[in-house]
């Protein structure tokens, strides 16, 4: 459901990657915990964390305070299931390229701890449950946006755009920003300019966030034949897009300020957005000079930036 990427995790020395143990060695019985862990890994829970960071503050702003805990819980559960469904189906579609990339070859499907058929059924069931839950407990706009986000991420982005165009990150960004609209719609049954403003922030933010990761794993993407921008474009082009979209992220966040936000949000957006832009310029300057780029510095700060900005949105809604 999202272009927001999972944070890379390294395994401790001597430990087994999630989902690589399927059977108990002595008896041959399935290790239930390992099987559960494999299915959870398919949902990419770290992506779900980031999606929820944007959804709840958007709901609070839409409500002008704290929505009912029942509604928040329903949207969190429905959104988590939807994001998990999109990720599982993504893993199913991408199982051929995941086995070629060092970053993804230990996922449950290339590691053969979950069969493709079971992953497909699991993903479809999660998708159906998430949309049905949203339709039954919120409204048709929120449910429709949930279904559209899942379908777009898996059928348009994963199956088509990711493999065919260097603009895949841009167009795929629609999915990562969708939770803002879904949360807002769940509260109000409509979408306001403020909702679209927050959508724009998350949409533009994803480009520098994901380009940093793509720089780190450039060889992986090249090996799998995925035309990510850092693989197929010049350093100058990549730098221009990172800087341009970082500025658009900052400007979008400031554009939300006049839409009923307090100075607390405005100052926070200016400060953390400014640091985000500075970090983007630093990365690009190092790349232009042929120095060690350190792309994960921008990647990790971008996650921190989004968390702080939306915490300010939540605080603003409460005051």
């Amino acid at each position: 459901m999202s272009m927001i990427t999972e944070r890379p995790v390294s395994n401790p020395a001597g430990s087994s990657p999630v989902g690589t143990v399927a059977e108990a060695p002595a008896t041959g019985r399935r290790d239930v915990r390992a099987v559960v862990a494999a299915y959870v890994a398919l949902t990419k829970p770290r992506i779900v964390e980031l999606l929820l960071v944007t959804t709840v503050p958007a709901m609070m702003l839409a409500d002008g305070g704290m929505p009912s805990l029942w509604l928040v819980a329903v949207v969190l559960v429905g959104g988590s299931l939807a994001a998990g469904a999109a990720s599982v189906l993504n893993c199913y579609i991408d199982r051929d390229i995941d086995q070629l990339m060092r970053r993804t070859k230990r996922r449950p499907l290339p590691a053969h701890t979950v069969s493709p058929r079971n992953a497909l059924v699991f993903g479809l069931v999660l998708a159906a449950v998430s949309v049905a839950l949203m339709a039954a407990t919120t409204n048709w706009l929120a449910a429709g946006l949930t279904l559209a986000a899942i379908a777009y991420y898996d059928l348009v982005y994963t199956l088509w755009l990711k493999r065919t165009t260097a603009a895949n990150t841009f167009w795929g960004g629609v999915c990562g920003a969708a939770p803002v609209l879904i949360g807002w719609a769940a509260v109000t049954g409509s979408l306001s300019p403020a909702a679209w403003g927050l959508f724009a922030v998350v949409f533009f933010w994803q480009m520098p966030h994901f380009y940093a990761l793509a720089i780190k794993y450039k060889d992986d993407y090249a090996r799998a034949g995925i035309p990510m921008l850092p693989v197929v474009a010049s350093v100058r082009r990549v730098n221009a897009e990172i800087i341009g979209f970082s500025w658009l992220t900052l400007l979008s966040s400031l554009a939300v300020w006049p839409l009923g936000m307090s100075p607390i949000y405005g100052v926070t957006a200016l400060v953390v957005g400014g640091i985000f832009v500075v970090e983007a310029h630093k990365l690009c300057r190092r790349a232009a000079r042929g120095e060690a780029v350190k792309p994960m510095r921008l990647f990790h700060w971008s996650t921190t930036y989004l968390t702080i900005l939306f915490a300010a949105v939540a605080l603003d809604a409460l005051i």
Side-chain angles (χ1 to χ4, degrees):
M1 180 169 166
S2 170
M3 271 295 298
I4 294 178
T5 54
E6 56 187 324
R7 285 163 281 175
V9 180
S10 57
N11 294 304
S15 66
S16 297
V18 173
T20 58
V21 180
E23 297 182 350
T27 64
R29 296 175 59 186
R30 299 281 284 181
D31 183 333
V32 175
R33 286 181 297 179
V35 172
V36 171
Y39 277 92
V40 170
L42 284 174
T43 67
K44 302 179 185 177
R46 290 180 176 270
I47 293 179
V48 174
E49 292 173 17
L50 278 177
L51 295 177
L52 301 185
V53 162
T54 63
T55 303
V56 176
M59 294 179 68
M60 294 173 66
L61 187 62
D63 185 76
M66 190 67 198
S68 72
L69 294 181
W70 163 253
L71 181 61
V72 172
V74 165
V75 172
L76 289 182
V77 172
S80 297
L81 291 174
S87 294
V88 173
L89 295 173
N90 168 269
C91 287
Y92 171 78
I93 296 168
D94 275 353
R95 64 192 186 280
D96 58 332
I97 60 176
D98 279 351
Q99 64 187 348
L100 301 176
M101 299 173 61
R102 284 192 297 271
R103 186 172 71 91
T104 58
K105 66 182 181 181
R106 291 178 176 175
R107 287 177 177 171
L109 285 175
H112 305 294
T113 54
V114 177
S115 71
R117 179 182 179 278
N118 287 350
L120 177 60
V121 171
F122 181 50
L124 292 175
V125 169
L126 288 181
V129 172
S130 66
V131 175
L133 178 63
M134 295 295 285
T137 58
T138 60
N139 54 67
W140 286 107
L141 177 58
L145 289 171
T146 301
L147 176 60
I150 297 171
Y152 186 95
Y153 182 63
D154 290 312
L155 300 180
V156 178
Y157 169 72
T158 303
L159 199 58
W160 175 35
L161 295 173
K162 182 176 181 179
R163 298 169 183 250
T164 59
T165 174
N168 52 23
T169 305
F170 179 84
W171 295 110
V174 172
C175 308
V180 172
L181 301 182
I182 294 169
W184 195 288
V187 172
T188 67
S190 62
L191 298 174
S192 73
W196 287 109
L198 293 177
F199 173 89
V201 172
V202 183
F203 176 80
F204 290 129
W205 166 87
Q206 287 177 96
M207 264 58 77
H209 172 78
F210 197 75
Y211 287 156
L213 190 70
I215 290 171
K216 167 77 173 178
Y217 294 101
K218 177 180 176 179
D219 293 341
D220 254 6
Y221 285 114
R223 187 180 303 109
I226 302 301
M228 303 306 298
L229 191 71
V231 174
V232 301
S234 66
V235 171
R236 183 176 180 180
R237 165 75 183 281
V238 176
N239 287 353
E241 293 214 14
I242 288 176
I243 290 174
F245 284 116
S246 297
W247 276 101
L248 284 172
T249 303
L250 171 60
L251 295 175
S252 296
S253 69
L254 294 177
V256 177
W257 190 358
L259 302 176
M261 308 296 284
S262 77
I264 292 177
Y265 167 83
V267 172
T268 302
L270 184 61
V271 172
V272 296
I275 296 173
F276 185 37
V277 168
V278 168
E279 287 296 332
H281 277 273
K282 286 181 178 178
L283 182 149
C284 294
R285 194 158 50 242
R286 290 191 294 266
R289 293 173 179 171
E291 300 172 358
V293 180
K294 302 177 182 177
M296 298 309 287
R297 176 171 173 168
L298 176 62
F299 178 85
H300 291 303
W301 169 251
S302 67
T303 301
T304 302
Y305 161 80
L306 197 70
T307 303
I308 295 174
L309 182 73
F310 275 83
V313 172
L315 178 62
D316 201 282
L318 294 175
I319 61 175

